Structure formats: structure tokens, C-alpha cells
Amino acid sequence: MDGHEIRMRRIGHHKSGKFVLVPLDHGVTVGPIKGIMDIRDTINKVAAGGATSVSIHKGLVSEGLRDVGGKIGLIMHISASTHIGPYPNAKIIVSGVEEALRLGADAVSVHINVGAETEREMLYDLGEVSRSCREWRVPLLAMMYTRGKNVKDELDPQAIKHIARLGAELGADIIKTNYPGNIETFREVTRGCPVPVLIAGGAKMDTDRQVLQMVKDSIEAGGGGVSIGRNVFQHENPTKMVKAIRRIVIDKYEVEEAIAELGGK
């Protein structure tokens, strides 16, 4: 077992290889929104629910992980943009693999918007980060989305299938992308991608059942787990919500069983 495999086990479930990732890196893009005002408190809550890892930016690493120690894997997000600026889809690299290792991260993540005006720069960055990750034996999560003025539908299954494969082809160990809407289309995505594909949670949903059904369907389609942010950290009880998601992803619960544990909503 080398360093890469050891770190993969730290950010995922060591037996199943599945991931229950809670991204908490939204503060750079949209600011301190509800649920991540107190990052320390939020990390403690999702760790208590059984999340396998969180993703945060470098400035909050020491603040956010003081209380949970080795209970949860750390993925350091190293690309950024803001909704305030004129180019929100243009992600730039703001850190590196060596800095992530110095701060104690187990993995790094980058965000790529295929279809944006700066697509070529982001793809170049993905290749460079991948090269560095391979040198240091650090897992790389690529958040792959289709966004730009010519993108008509961000949930287009063919496009999602393409960008998932694109991320793997350029060296990502794990892909995060949108769920295209049903088991059949997502199965095509997972079949065409040789590395685990995690579904993004997207905007806050109306009910817990919607979230958990999407999670269940993605696992049935061969998904590698989830990377769900707002539908966890903006939940009235993030600990219970993570636990319900983990029950489906890792313990293979049915949706009704997970909902019962959550409180029957």
C-alpha cells in the first residue's frame, strides 16, 4: 500500500470504497452563507454523522479541523472564483499540492467549468495539478461541470458523460458532477468513467426524500458516493442528514429506512 492508497482510504470508506463527502468550500464563491458561518461547528456536526471527508480552502484548515482530529478526511480545494466578479465561471488555481500536504490535507480538489471562456486554461491547470498529485501520491478530485454562454442544459446526460470521462482522462482519481436526473442516464456516466463518480447535491431541495432518493438512485447506477453541501449543512440537523445519506451510500439502506432514521420526513 503506497501513499496514494492510504490517502484514498482516509477520504473514503476503507471497506466499501464509497465516499460521503460534504463540501464546505462555498465561502469563497458566495460568502459565509447559512450553515457555514461557524465552520468549526459544521465540521463537528458532519463528522458526528459519519461523513468520510470534507473539502475546505486553505485558510480554514487549522480553524475547521481542531476538534475532530483524524475522524474525517480533509480535501483541500485549490481553485476559486467569486459570484461578485465578472468571470464567475473562470476558476483559477489559488494553492498547490505541496502546500496542501504541509497543511495536513489528504487530497486536493479543483473545479473545472467545461464550456466557459477560459476552459483551455482550466484544463491546463487540471493537467498540471494532476502531474503534481502523481508526483506526491496525492488523490485528486475534479469537480466537473458544463457552464458557459453556449451551455443550454447543465444536466444534459451526454455532456455529463463527456466531462466525467474528460476529468478521468486528465488524471483525476475521483469525479464530482451533476446527477443527470435518472438511473439510466447516470449509469451511462459511470460506465464511461473509470474512476468513482460522485453526485453533487446542487441547490437546496424541498424535502429530505428528494435528496435521499437521488442518492439511492445514483448508487444503484454505479455511483461512487456523494458530494453534497447545502442539502447537508443547511439542513435543520446536519448530523442526522449525513447519517441518513451514509446509511444509503455505505450501509445499502433503502430510502424509507433512511428516512425513518432521519425522523420520517
Side-chain angles (χ1 to χ4, degrees):
M1 185 183 299
D2 69 359
H4 182 273
E5 187 176 351
I6 289 171
R7 294 183 178 102
M8 285 288 281
R9 285 171 175 251
R10 289 177 185 164
I11 62 174
H13 184 247
H14 65 285
K15 289 185 179 179
S16 68
K18 301 292 187 183
F19 299 84
V20 180
L21 163 63
V22 181
L24 302 172
D25 48 68
H26 302 63
V28 166
T29 308
V30 295
I33 58 176
K34 175 186 175 183
I36 58 169
M37 293 289 288
D38 183 342
I39 200 72
R40 211 170 150 194
D41 179 63
T42 303
I43 292 176
N44 285 330
K45 286 176 178 176
V46 301
T52 61
S53 48
V54 294
S55 64
I56 54 178
H57 281 279
K58 61 182 180 180
L60 297 185
V61 169
S62 60
E63 175 65 24
L65 294 174
R66 281 187 291 184
D67 295 339
V68 299
K71 295 180 186 176
I72 195 166
L74 170 61
I75 301 172
M76 198 172 95
H77 197 42
I78 64 171
S79 61
S81 70
T82 74
H83 281 187
I84 298 172
Y87 308 108
N89 290 328
K91 301 293 181 177
I92 63 167
I93 299 300
V94 293
S95 185
V97 175
E98 292 184 45
E99 183 176 24
L101 287 173
R102 286 196 296 270
L103 290 171
D106 303 303
V108 300
S109 62
V110 294
H111 182 143
I112 309 297
N113 288 319
V114 179
E117 291 184 355
T118 59
E119 175 192 294
R120 63 179 184 173
E121 288 89 348
M122 286 184 278
L123 292 181
Y124 176 84
D125 289 340
L126 176 57
E128 286 297 292
V129 171
S130 170
R131 179 192 56 76
S132 187
C133 281
R134 287 169 185 251
E135 178 182 353
W136 289 100
R137 308 305 294 150
V138 173
L140 170 60
L141 167 68
M143 304 180 181
M144 305 295 296
Y145 297 96
T146 54
R147 290 177 182 166
K149 64 180 182 179
N150 294 325
V151 175
K152 302 295 190 262
D153 180 9
E154 293 185 12
L155 300 182
D156 174 32
Q158 292 303 313
I160 293 174
K161 181 166 66 172
H162 182 179
I163 62 175
R165 181 59 175 260
L166 168 62
E169 293 262 2
L170 293 185
D173 300 289
I174 311 162
I175 301 297
K176 170 185 176 179
T177 193
N178 284 324
Y179 182 65
N182 59 66
I183 294 174
E184 290 72 25
T185 54
F186 192 58
R187 186 173 285 121
E188 287 297 305
V189 175
T190 62
R191 282 177 175 169
C193 186
V195 301
V197 183
L198 316 186
I199 60 165
K204 184 75 169 65
M205 293 185 182
D206 295 330
T207 68
D208 297 337
R209 184 180 296 275
Q210 285 179 290
V211 178
L212 296 177
Q213 188 64 60
M214 179 178 70
V215 172
K216 180 65 174 177
D217 290 348
S218 75
I219 298 301
E220 290 291 320
V226 302
S227 177
I228 295 179
R230 279 165 289 192
N231 283 292
V232 166
F233 64 70
Q234 291 185 338
H235 193 272
E236 60 187 17
N237 192 323
T239 299
K240 283 189 175 181
M241 190 57 176
V242 171
K243 186 176 291 186
I245 292 170
R246 181 185 170 102
R247 289 298 195 190
I248 293 173
V249 173
I250 294 174
D251 299 327
K252 301 180 180 180
Y253 273 36
E254 297 298 326
V255 172
E256 292 300 329
E257 294 176 295
I259 287 174
E261 286 215 351
L262 190 56
K265 289 176 65 179

